[in-house]
Amino acid sequence: MTAVESRPAGALAQVPGNPGERPFGARVKGFVALTKPRVIELLLMTTVPVMFLAAKGVPDLWLVLATCIGGYLSAGGAAAFNMYLDRDIDALMDRTSQRPLVTGIVSPRECLVFATALAVGSTAWFWYLVNPLSAMLSLGALLFYVVVYTMILKRRTSQNIVWGGIAGCMPVFIGWSSVTNSVSWASFILFLVIFFWTPPHYWPLSMKVKDDYERVGVPMLPAVAGNKVVARQIVAYSWVMVAVSLLLQPLGYTGWFYTAVAVVCGAFWLKEAHGLQARAKAGITGAKLKEMRLFHWSITYVSLLFVAVAVDPFLR
């Protein structure tokens, strides 16, 4: 018996099992939810500004639209595959208990077909409407997230989010390649910024919901290590991230505006990271640990940094 089947009957009985009996509007929302729209917003936030940097100004707006649509389809397909593969543990975690496969609004078969269609459609979309290099990068990101992170790393190692996060770095390459049909050192530096940003972005959230991960046996770092260890790792990754973010200016890719934003935002990030570490060292737990302050700031940080990436070419 699977974990989904072993969930209390009331949780799965919220929605009728017959597709014909499930409300159309709810099913549409369910399929949209499979794509994790809020996560994709963040991915596109790192794609579009890089296109401005690559174009050294305003890129072709049709190309921007085509890249965003292709990126949404690809990332949405990866998310749907992830929910299909993780439906057993999603049913046991409070944070994911309302996902479409858990509630029954979408069946596993429907999810798998939907995910496959998005994967194939996004690759074809990029290939014919953007360029083949962007199509291959997009497909590579999808396969890395589904196979390497979800199927191999997630349930086996506490370093899952570190290496699995590579998939989330790929939109930087996709944004650059969509404009230039190539990659560059600038895109590689921004790739590294997202690579080192991902663990200290996700670990504070994992600290908040570590009971969920412990319950299902997923070795996310906060579920297998104490708060002091996790906070120390967050600080280490944070310093490297900020240092890497400052490399664009000396290499000639950005000017004063991006550098000023990177310095100010990076300083505030380090203040929050060290504050979390200080509270962890003091043995503070529960709400007073305030780990979600860094999580919420991490989203603001990456948004501001990449807005600066887009604006900087106009101020040089």
Side-chain angles (χ1 to χ4, degrees), residues 58-82:
V58 180
D60 180 85
L61 295 182
W62 157 249
L63 183 63
V64 173
L65 179 61
T67 302
C68 287
I69 292 173
Y72 186 95
L73 296 175
S74 179
F81 276 122
N82 173 265

Side-chain angles (χ1 to χ4, degrees), residues 54-301:
K56 298 180 180 179
V58 180
D60 180 85
L61 295 182
W62 157 249
L63 183 63
V64 173
L65 179 61
T67 302
C68 287
I69 292 173
Y72 186 95
L73 296 175
S74 179
F81 276 122
N82 173 265
M83 288 197 196
Y84 174 81
L85 293 167
D86 279 352
R87 64 191 187 279
D88 57 337
I89 59 176
D90 282 350
L92 301 175
M93 296 174 65
D94 293 336
R95 188 172 65 89
T96 56
S97 62
Q98 294 304 307
R99 285 182 172 176
L101 291 181
V102 179
T103 62
I105 199 69
V106 177
S107 73
R109 179 183 177 84
E110 290 170 335
C111 178
L112 188 58
V113 171
F114 180 65
T116 302
L118 289 180
V120 173
S122 64
T123 303
W125 178 278
F126 269 118
W127 188 281
Y128 292 108
L129 297 179
V130 182
N131 58 55
L133 176 58
S134 296
M136 291 297 96
L137 289 169
S138 172
L139 180 60
L142 185 151
L143 292 175
F144 194 95
Y145 183 73
V146 174
V147 178
V148 178
Y149 172 66
T150 305
M151 298 178 67
I152 298 175
L153 296 177
K154 184 173 182 178
R155 307 193 194 198
R156 290 181 172 86
T157 172
S158 62
Q159 294 297 299
N160 45 22
I161 200 66
V162 176
W163 301 107
I166 288 175
C169 306
M170 295 301 288
V172 172
F173 282 150
I174 295 169
W176 190 278
S177 67
S178 68
V179 174
T180 67
N181 200 25
S182 66
V183 294
S184 72
W185 282 110
S187 60
F188 182 67
I189 290 170
L190 291 171
F191 173 97
L192 290 178
V193 170
I194 299 300
F195 177 81
F196 290 110
W197 168 87
T198 301
H201 156 70
Y202 195 77
W203 281 335
L205 174 62
S206 301
M207 294 170 78
K208 180 74 173 179
V209 299
K210 67 178 182 179
D211 290 346
D212 266 352
Y213 288 114
E214 291 173 350
R215 185 182 309 125
V216 297
V218 172
M220 203 64 68
L221 184 61
V224 298
N227 288 342
K228 293 181 183 179
V229 174
V230 178
R232 184 168 63 247
Q233 290 287 314
I234 286 174
V235 167
Y237 275 93
S238 297
W239 273 100
V240 177
M241 177 199 71
V242 172
V244 171
S245 73
L246 298 175
L247 292 177
L248 286 175
Q249 197 276 335
L251 293 178
Y253 291 108
T254 57
W256 68 269
F257 180 75
Y258 167 83
T259 303
V261 172
V263 168
V264 172
C265 291
F268 193 81
W269 176 296
L270 292 174
K271 174 180 177 294
E272 287 294 325
H274 279 280
L276 176 59
Q277 184 183 35
R279 292 189 293 274
K281 282 184 175 180
I284 295 174
T285 59
K288 292 184 178 180
L289 184 60
K290 300 178 181 179
E291 67 279 343
M292 292 299 287
R293 282 179 52 170
L294 182 57
F295 173 77
H296 292 305
W297 167 248
S298 69
I299 298 173
T300 303
Y301 169 85

